[in-house]
Amino acid sequence: MVRETRLAATDLIYPLFVSERITSRTPVESMPGVAQLTVEDAADEAALAWGEGIRSVLLFGIPSEKDELASQAYAEKGIVQQAVRAIKRAVPEMIVITDVCLCEYMSHGHCGIARIEAGCVEVLNDESLELLARTAVSHAAAGADIVAPSDMMDGRVAAIRRALDVGGFQNTAILSYAAKFASAFYGPFRDAADSAPQAGDRRSYQMDPANALEALREVALDLEESADMVMVKPGLPYLDILWRVKERFEMPTAVYHVSGEYAMLKAAVANGWLDERAATMETMLSFKRAGADMIVTYAARDVARWLSGHSGK
Ligand code: PBG
């Protein structure tokens, strides 16, 4: 009766990795329970998740071809575009969110256009905006309800909003990865999405883990540029940021329980050191207590099953 925080399956956003390079479901070694999926598998997975009460998925694509302009990111028949259509066909009411970034599609693995000389990387912010906007529009054209830019280029929310409006997608919402830190906890994701930078790192565009006020400025800018929802990422090491963002802006706020956080939990569970269900549910509750409205987590299906009283796997 006196419980202050409640968790529901409708709070969850379930990330899916869809790959053009595989012919059947391929487990991601560093993320037990997570697999790269074909387009058909992704539609099946979305349908199963829907049946368990999950109402939203977040799509990442792994293309068969990468180049220096990320052309497959905005190709009409790109892997994410195909997956959006397949999921919408299988589960029309599922809220489909697409991650808008170029790193999975760039031969060098950076989130924008990059100039690389003698191992030195310069990511070209302004030049990248047009490609990001084009990617977002192509996702919307395929049927995405929400686009989620995760590249961290400055000005991308405004560029994407403008392009969506011009393209006739006024109703497509933007969930901005507004406070995204240059984190060591993305390691397993880069295996899953094959998006590790070939040279350099992401510290010129993602945030310094030491900075909280800068996170607030990043969120303020994205909201000015007309983001509809904002995200804090990673989750557990940044609960203070999540709390401050929610308190300050009172906007729909998402948190990303990232691959490294998930992998740590799974590894401890595999060793018999943590109780999976109790530790996972406590983590989810901590996100809600800190102000999250939405939680992106690879554990979404387990959490949904536990919430509905099934013992899960
Ligand atoms: C793309 C992107 C990343 C994640 C989400 N979108 C990787 C990165 O920035 O390197 C990480 C998600 C996770 O670790 O679960 N830029």
Side-chain angles (χ1 to χ4, degrees):
M1 283 172 87
V2 295
R3 195 162 223 218
E4 296 169 23
T5 305
R6 275 167 217 281
L7 187 64
T10 48
D11 300 331
L12 304 169
I13 298 174
Y14 183 34
L16 299 176
F17 296 103
V18 194
S19 175
E20 211 168 28
R21 287 197 220 150
I22 54 173
T23 50
S24 64
R25 174 184 285 263
T26 307
V28 178
E29 209 177 318
S30 51
M31 299 172 72
V34 175
Q36 294 183 341
L37 307 170
T38 64
V39 170
E40 298 73 43
D41 291 335
D44 293 347
E45 188 72 19
L48 289 171
W50 179 269
E52 289 158 355
I54 291 168
R55 294 294 173 259
S56 176
V57 292
L58 170 62
L59 302 185
F60 294 94
I62 301 131
S64 52
E65 303 291 336
K66 301 183 191 234
D67 57 34
E68 281 177 15
L69 284 173
S71 358
Q72 287 306 306
Y74 40 88
E76 199 202 323
K77 297 217 167 84
I79 183 69
V80 163
Q81 291 78 356
Q82 290 182 46
V84 172
R85 290 192 195 95
I87 291 172
K88 280 292 183 184
R89 224 176 298 127
V91 206
E93 285 175 274
M94 182 66 92
I95 297 167
V96 176
I97 310 176
T98 54
D99 185 89
V100 174
C101 196
L102 306 176
C103 57
E104 297 100 329
Y105 305 89
M106 287 286 196
S107 38
H108 48 63
H110 279 286
C111 302
I113 296 176
R115 192 187 291 143
I116 303 176
E117 271 164 41
C120 249
V121 184
E122 188 189 354
V123 174
L124 307 177
N125 188 96
D126 296 6
E127 287 82 343
S128 304
L129 299 182
E130 195 210 320
L131 300 188
L132 290 162
R134 221 194 280 179
T135 303
V137 169
S138 78
H139 292 173
D145 301 288
I146 303 175
V147 292
S150 72
D151 53 283
M152 287 300 276
M153 298 302 133
D154 292 331
R156 91 269 206 215
V157 173
I160 288 172
R161 183 72 271 161
R162 210 174 307 121
L164 286 172
D165 290 352
V166 168
F169 301 105
Q170 292 90 344
N171 294 331
T172 306
I174 299 178
L175 163 59
S176 164
Y177 287 68
K180 175 172 173 179
F181 290 86
S183 172
F185 291 98
Y186 305 151
F189 172 95
R190 292 177 190 169
D191 293 340
D194 187 31
S195 66
Q198 302 301 301
D201 55 46
R202 304 210 201 289
R203 285 182 297 172
S204 71
Y205 42 103
Q206 298 182 351
M207 290 183 42
D208 181 349
N211 289 2
L213 297 174
E214 188 187 6
L216 299 178
R217 291 198 294 276
E218 287 279 4
V219 172
L221 276 173
D222 284 5
L223 290 172
E224 263 168 47
E225 290 179 27
S226 73
D228 301 286
M229 307 159 225
V230 292
M231 175 136 63
V232 174
K233 174 184 175 191
L236 278 187
Y238 298 87
L239 287 184
D240 58 322
I241 309 288
L242 178 58
W243 170 253
R244 287 166 86 158
V245 166
K246 187 63 186 185
E247 287 285 295
R248 168 86 57 105
F249 300 101
E250 300 181 349
M251 287 296 285
T253 305
V255 66
Y256 203 135
H257 178 233
V258 303
S259 58
E261 300 174 68
Y262 176 83
M264 286 197 301
L265 200 62
K266 284 287 185 182
V269 168
N271 273 296
W273 297 335
L274 283 177
D275 174 331
E276 181 167 22
R277 178 174 177 165
T280 306
M281 292 308 251
E282 184 177 332
T283 303
M284 297 299 130
L285 260 189
S286 78
F287 291 141
K288 296 251 13 217
R289 193 191 63 240
D293 303 292
M294 298 157 264
I295 303 169
V296 183
T297 179
Y298 303 100
R301 287 191 59 196
D302 283 336
V303 172
R305 281 194 294 259
W306 290 326
L307 284 168
S308 69
H310 296 298
S311 57
K313 34 179 194 196

